[in-house]
Amino acid sequence: MIALTLAQIAHATSGRLQPAGTATADTVVSGTVDTDSRNLGAGDIFVAKPGEVTDGHLFVDAAAGAGAALAIVEHVVDAPISQIVVADAVQALADLARMVVARVRAEGTLRIVGITGSNGKTTTKNLLARILSDEGETVAPRASYNNEVGAPLTMLRVQASTRFLVCEFGASGPGAIAKLAGLVTPDIGVVLMVGMAHAGGFGGIEETARAKAELVAAVRPGGLAVLNADDPRVAAMAAGAAERGIAVRWFGTTAAADVRAGDIETDAAGTRCVLTVDDEQLPLRLQVLGAHHVMNAMAALTAAVALGVSPADAVARLETVELAERWRMQPMGGQRVRIINDAYNASPDSMVAALRTLAQITGPGERTVAVLGAMSELGEYAGEAHDRIGELAVRLRIQRIVVIGPEARRLFLSAVAEGSWDNEAVYFATADEAYDYLLTELRDGDRVLVKSSNAAGLRFLGDRLGESFS
């Protein structure tokens, strides 16, 4: 974080300062801001956020012991550390982020990109950060820091020397993206796609579309919206951009896109395509598995070019990315048995894309194995969504379908009903049971996809399989 006095932080957070030791209102702090006391060191700032499982106030003393200079709290804690008492620690975190970003933006050349969409946010964020990092100091979220806590923590990492801030905005309901994006008013807003991810929290796909459009509405006057020309719900957001005088740049596979891809081919080494950027054609060899990541690459490239990066440089940097993020289409195992661990998150759209990728990268004499768990946060749409994935797995002729967990049992039943009658589909209540089965079932030439939402925990099963078959 930039250097601020305790008084300035108290003012930004509407808090009451209680200095400790030799500290005064004029004491300057500039350390890292975090809600996890285990990540703190000398001079850092701890935000004591109440949580569902535990309360951050229980760890203020640990933060002081780690050398933290300040704790932002909702009530005074008996600990040897300066404290700022606020009404709401999460809101205080947001208010502090807003002030810090505004100061850096006013004093330097900071450019801000916001990214949202039902799928692909983290991959696109990482691809864009890779492109921009060669242009200047770039701050981007760690992992999927895209909620009311993670997004402000990312924003607070900016310094006076930061040239680019890439923000990822997720949401579980209407208004969340507007609130987060409103903290920074991005120069560029990127909307990837509108799908069924988190549809249960939004009340349906049309409500999801309205929520994603909140990013376009938050782009600063004179800014740019980067929109997916292939998604009708995203394309419709151009009308709102026009009303606000926001320019639009398109990416996709249609002729209308400013950045478009053609001749897309996928194999076990990645995806090849030819990109057209306005009138310039550039071949791209993306190492990240899955043809669906071409759309994420185009979105990142479109934003980067708008920020002044040459298309050729952007493509060259995209080609150096080997892995989008841990547990996202992550190759593991060895040549005999290859594991693709894609179990950090799952929605109907990403599940379809992953299964299709599995089918595409499996060659003659090799066998497709899909290890599937539940998709979370689909609400009333969960049953039908799992039905469709079970049916698709059979239609893609996935040769072994391993379904895990009670929440995913309907997927298994749908696969059986679709035609998986000869033990192609099996069901296990727990990941441990599935692991024991797979140890004896997998054989040379198998290509194994592990896919589920984070809550199902199959990413750890993927890790175990990767180690066992490495």
Side-chain angles (χ1 to χ4, degrees), residues 90-156:
V90 174
Q91 183 60 51
L93 184 65
D95 292 339
L96 183 59
R98 179 190 293 108
M99 184 267 276
V100 166
V101 172
R103 281 190 171 222
V104 175
R105 195 179 217 167
E107 297 174 3
T109 58
L110 180 66
R111 303 292 300 279
I112 302 171
V113 181
I115 300 171
T116 195
S118 297
N119 295 300
K121 296 183 293 296
T122 300
T123 298
T124 304
K125 169 263 297 184
N126 287 338
L127 294 175
L128 179 57
R130 171 64 191 92
I131 296 171
L132 295 178
S133 62
D134 282 1
E135 299 292 317
E137 183 179 313
T138 300
V139 170
R142 301 184 180 98
S144 290
Y145 271 31
N146 62 22
N147 62 10
E148 62 180 357
V149 174
L153 288 177
T154 298
M155 298 168 190
L156 286 165

Side-chain angles (χ1 to χ4, degrees), residues 25-71:
D26 294 327
T27 296
V28 174
V29 295
S30 60
T32 297
V33 182
D34 211 308
T35 58
D36 189 336
S37 62
R38 296 169 295 184
N39 297 335
L40 299 175
D44 289 344
I45 300 167
F46 178 56
V47 180
K49 178 183 73 71
E52 295 179 3
V53 178
T54 188
D55 186 343
H57 293 81
L58 299 174
F59 302 95
V60 172
D61 194 61
L70 173 67

Side-chain angles (χ1 to χ4, degrees), residues 149-187:
V149 174
L153 288 177
T154 298
M155 298 168 190
L156 286 165
R157 288 168 46 214
V158 301
Q159 301 286 343
S161 55
T162 302
R163 186 172 173 191
F164 302 106
L165 170 62
V166 180
C167 296
E168 178 183 340
F169 299 130
S172 58
I177 292 173
K179 181 177 180 180
L180 294 176
L183 298 177
V184 294
T185 57
D187 299 283

Side-chain angles (χ1 to χ4, degrees), residues 396-436:
L396 288 173
R397 299 185 179 181
I398 304 300
Q399 291 157 283
R400 284 289 182 272
I401 303 168
V402 181
V403 182
I404 302 171
E407 295 82 2
R409 185 171 175 82
R410 187 159 167 176
L411 191 160
F412 163 71
L413 296 174
S414 296
V416 172
E418 184 65 18
S420 180
W421 302 324
D422 192 23
N423 293 324
E424 296 94 345
V426 294
Y427 169 79
F428 297 97
T430 69
D432 286 341
E433 292 174 300
Y435 175 74
D436 291 340

Side-chain angles (χ1 to χ4, degrees), residues 137-406:
E137 183 179 313
T138 300
V139 170
R142 301 184 180 98
S144 290
Y145 271 31
N146 62 22
N147 62 10
E148 62 180 357
V149 174
L153 288 177
T154 298
M155 298 168 190
L156 286 165
R157 288 168 46 214
V158 301
Q159 301 286 343
S161 55
T162 302
R163 186 172 173 191
F164 302 106
L165 170 62
V166 180
C167 296
E168 178 183 340
F169 299 130
S172 58
I177 292 173
K179 181 177 180 180
L180 294 176
L183 298 177
V184 294
T185 57
D187 299 283
I188 298 175
V190 180
V191 185
L192 300 170
M193 54 110 45
V194 175
M196 290 297 291
H198 314 298
F202 288 101
I205 196 164
E206 296 305 330
E207 287 299 321
T208 302
R210 279 188 276 274
K212 302 305 180 186
E214 292 170 8
L215 176 56
V216 176
V219 171
R220 68 166 179 80
L224 175 71
V226 173
L227 303 179
N228 182 349
D230 292 6
D231 188 321
R233 291 183 177 89
V234 176
M237 297 176 193
E243 290 174 0
R244 300 187 58 246
I246 305 299
V248 174
R249 290 276 289 176
W250 301 97
F251 67 94
T253 60
T254 67
D258 301 294
V259 176
R260 61 187 180 275
D263 300 327
I264 301 173
E265 298 179 359
T266 298
D267 58 27
T271 303
R272 298 178 300 277
C273 67
V274 177
L275 296 180
T276 301
V277 184
D278 295 320
D279 295 325
E280 183 178 2
Q281 287 197 333
L282 297 161
L284 169 67
R285 179 60 187 255
L286 197 63
Q287 296 185 66
V288 181
L289 288 177
H292 53 294
H293 287 307
V294 170
M295 294 297 287
N296 301 327
M298 285 193 291
L301 185 146
T302 306
V305 170
L307 291 169
V309 182
S310 76
D313 286 344
V315 167
R317 294 166 196 172
L318 286 171
E319 292 184 332
T320 68
V321 179
E322 298 179 0
L323 178 66
E325 185 75 58
R326 186 182 181 191
W327 299 317
R328 287 178 170 85
M329 299 303 287
Q330 181 178 2
M332 307 180 78
Q335 291 301 314
R336 293 174 49 249
V337 177
R338 187 172 190 181
I339 312 295
I340 303 170
N341 194 349
D342 193 33
Y344 187 85
N345 213 339
S347 68
D349 296 297
S350 68
M351 191 76 86
V352 168
L355 285 169
R356 286 178 175 165
T357 298
L358 176 64
Q360 290 168 340
I361 68 171
T362 304
E366 299 175 342
R367 187 174 64 157
T368 51
V369 180
V371 181
L372 307 176
M375 299 175 286
S376 301
E377 300 182 45
L378 293 174
E380 64 184 287
Y381 308 99
E384 181 182 354
H386 284 88
D387 285 345
R388 290 178 177 175
I389 297 305
E391 294 164 359
L392 176 66
V394 175
R395 292 169 187 172
L396 288 173
R397 299 185 179 181
I398 304 300
Q399 291 157 283
R400 284 289 182 272
I401 303 168
V402 181
V403 182
I404 302 171

